[in-house]
């Protein structure tokens, strides 16, 4: 049975300076993001990594969880459902920041699929919630009409994703560019709707090497620059 949450903390004697909150996809559970959590833990020794389970039972039954219902979901009602789900998530993130004494600018949200939708829309609803968003195989519920002022958005997608097509990531990057937002996009060839290791690797590289419009380096405490991965573009 999946854990209700997975949490990683810095080793004894290391001060917690960063917070990562990871959000799984619809019908999933925290175990689905354990590989990402472990990768973040290795790359950022001063980080706390929290992987909560979705706040609602999965529509199709079983042990899976979801952040909002996908029954009958479409372009006409997706944004409303996300908006209804956001307050509970934002409350969770704010409570963790307060408990751990970690600044909002040193917080990152990472999500896969439905979790990526929640992460992207969370910083639209509360622009001071997090300094970074890692959106794997996700999309906006509705393309934004303004870019988050304090958040760097990293869009990571599989070129062969048939569930949420890469066109959504490209449209998001284009819109954020028009709005002078701070964002990057990486598309992995021959990758479908999955949290593929190559995308995890690129996400770590983005966090370690991409200098945002406001400083993230103070939280990182180091400057590593791995070589770029030739299999993503």
């Amino acid at each position: 049975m999946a854990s209700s949450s997975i949490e990683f903390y810095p080793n004894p004697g290391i001060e917690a300076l960063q917070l990562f909150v990871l959000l799984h996809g619809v019908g999933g559970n925290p175990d689905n993001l354990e590989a990402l959590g472990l990768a973040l833990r290795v790359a950022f020794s001063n980080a706390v990594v929290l992987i909560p389970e979705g706040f609602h039972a999965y529509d199709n039954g079983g042990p899976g969880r979801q952040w909002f219902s996908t029954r009958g979901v479409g372009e006409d009602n997706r944004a409303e459902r996300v908006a209804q789900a956001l307050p509970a998530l934002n409350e969770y993130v704010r409570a963790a920041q307060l408990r751990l004494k970690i600044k909002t600018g040193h917080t990152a949200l990472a999500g896969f699929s439905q979790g990526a939708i929640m992460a992207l829309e969370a910083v639209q609803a509360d622009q001071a919630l997090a300094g970074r968003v890692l959106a794997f195989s996700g999309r906006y519920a509705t393309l934004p009409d303004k870019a988050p002022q304090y958040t760097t958005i990293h869009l990571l997608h599989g070129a062969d994703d048939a569930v949420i097509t890469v066109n959504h990531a490209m449209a998001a990057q284009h819109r954020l560019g028009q709005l002078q937002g701070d964002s990057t996009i990486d598309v992995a060839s021959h990758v479908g709707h999955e949290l593929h290791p190559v995308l995890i690797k690129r996400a770590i590289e983005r966090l370690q090497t991409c200098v945002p419009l406001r400083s993230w380096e103070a939280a990182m405490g180091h400057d590593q620059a791995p070589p770029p991965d030739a299999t993503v573009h």
Side-chain angles (χ1 to χ4, degrees), residues 87-204:
L89 175 61
N90 287 21
E91 182 179 349
Y92 173 89
V93 175
R94 289 294 189 182
Q97 291 168 337
L98 183 63
R99 173 172 60 88
L100 298 166
K101 298 181 174 60
I102 293 179
K103 298 177 180 179
T104 60
H106 297 168
T107 298
L109 305 181
F112 171 74
S113 193
Q114 190 182 83
I117 297 174
M118 294 293 292
L120 288 168
E121 295 292 350
V123 296
Q124 289 298 125
D126 183 353
Q127 296 213 3
L129 185 66
R132 299 263 190 161
V133 165
L134 301 170
F136 295 89
S137 304
R139 56 166 293 176
Y140 281 99
T142 302
L143 286 174
D145 56 12
K146 61 180 178 180
Q149 184 177 357
Y150 305 109
T151 309
T152 300
I153 306 292
H154 299 296
L155 304 165
L156 303 115
H157 222 100
D160 297 341
D161 192 333
V163 178
I164 298 179
T165 65
V166 70
N167 291 340
H168 287 291
M170 293 178 173
Q173 175 71 354
H174 180 68
R175 177 62 62 86
L176 289 169
Q178 290 179 321
L179 299 172
Q180 299 183 321
D182 188 9
S183 63
T184 66
I185 186 171
D186 291 291
V187 179
S189 302
H190 310 298
V191 172
H193 192 71
E194 58 184 306
L195 190 61
H196 195 280
V198 74
L199 292 177
I200 293 177
K201 184 174 184 287
R202 179 47 66 92
I204 298 297

Side-chain angles (χ1 to χ4, degrees), residues 209-232:
T209 64
C210 183
V211 179
L213 296 180
R214 17 119 282 284
S215 177
W216 178 261
E217 291 182 346
M220 286 174 53
H222 59 278
D223 183 17
Q224 301 177 4
D229 189 329
T231 62
V232 291

Side-chain angles (χ1 to χ4, degrees), residues 6 8 22 29-40 51 195 200:
I6 296 175
F8 298 119
L22 280 49
N29 59 63
D31 293 353
N32 301 151
L33 298 182
E34 186 172 11
L36 175 60
L38 287 169
L40 291 168
I51 316 178
L195 190 61
I200 293 177

